[in-house]
Amino acid sequence: MVSYHDGSVTIYQGHVLDVLAQLPAESVHCVVTSPPYWGLRDYDVPPQVWPATWSGGCLGQRGRTISCTILDPFSGAGTVALVAKKLGRLGLGIELKPEYIDLAARRMPLL
């Protein structure tokens, strides 16, 4: 289920395996994430938000013409999608917890 979409970024709410099964084949060009490490990620504490100055190696440099879609299957607060948007890429996120999707949605217009 799409929970957020702004033309550059789409964030799905749901289990990563369920959402991935619905994405079209070959629609993702790069995956960047910080996975939950099989239960070691604690969703009951305030989110740790990465700085949006982080650029992630495979996202490329601003100004380069690269048409690609970046996926973060454990998107949390949406930092990977935010940086993808900032660099002119399409960002897809998948997140289980609605409160993290709300936080990510609040961050997107800050660009």
Side-chain angles (χ1 to χ4, degrees):
M1 170 174 74
V2 173
S3 291
Y4 176 82
H5 179 73
D6 71 5
S8 297
V9 171
T10 302
I11 301 176
Y12 298 89
Q13 181 184 354
H15 189 281
V16 67
L17 294 178
D18 296 334
V19 175
L20 286 175
Q22 297 175 23
L23 295 178
E26 300 183 28
S27 62
V28 173
H29 304 99
C30 180
V31 177
V32 179
T33 193
S34 175
Y37 299 107
W38 304 108
L40 296 178
R41 183 170 171 185
D42 185 357
Y43 281 106
D44 294 325
V45 298
Q48 296 179 359
V49 179
W50 295 357
T53 54
W54 171 82
S55 65
C58 80
L59 297 184
Q61 299 298 315
R62 180 191 286 262
R64 289 184 60 205
T65 305
I66 300 173
S67 176
C68 65
T69 301
I70 312 300
L71 169 68
D72 183 352
F74 306 99
S75 66
T79 301
V80 171
L82 184 68
V83 172
K85 181 177 180 176
K86 182 177 179 180
L87 294 173
R89 313 298 185 262
L90 297 177
L92 297 180
I94 302 172
E95 179 54 49
L96 193 59
K97 300 283 186 164
E99 56 268 25
Y100 280 80
I101 295 169
D102 292 342
L103 176 60
R106 289 194 307 269
R107 294 178 74 202
M108 293 306 147
L110 299 177
L111 288 179

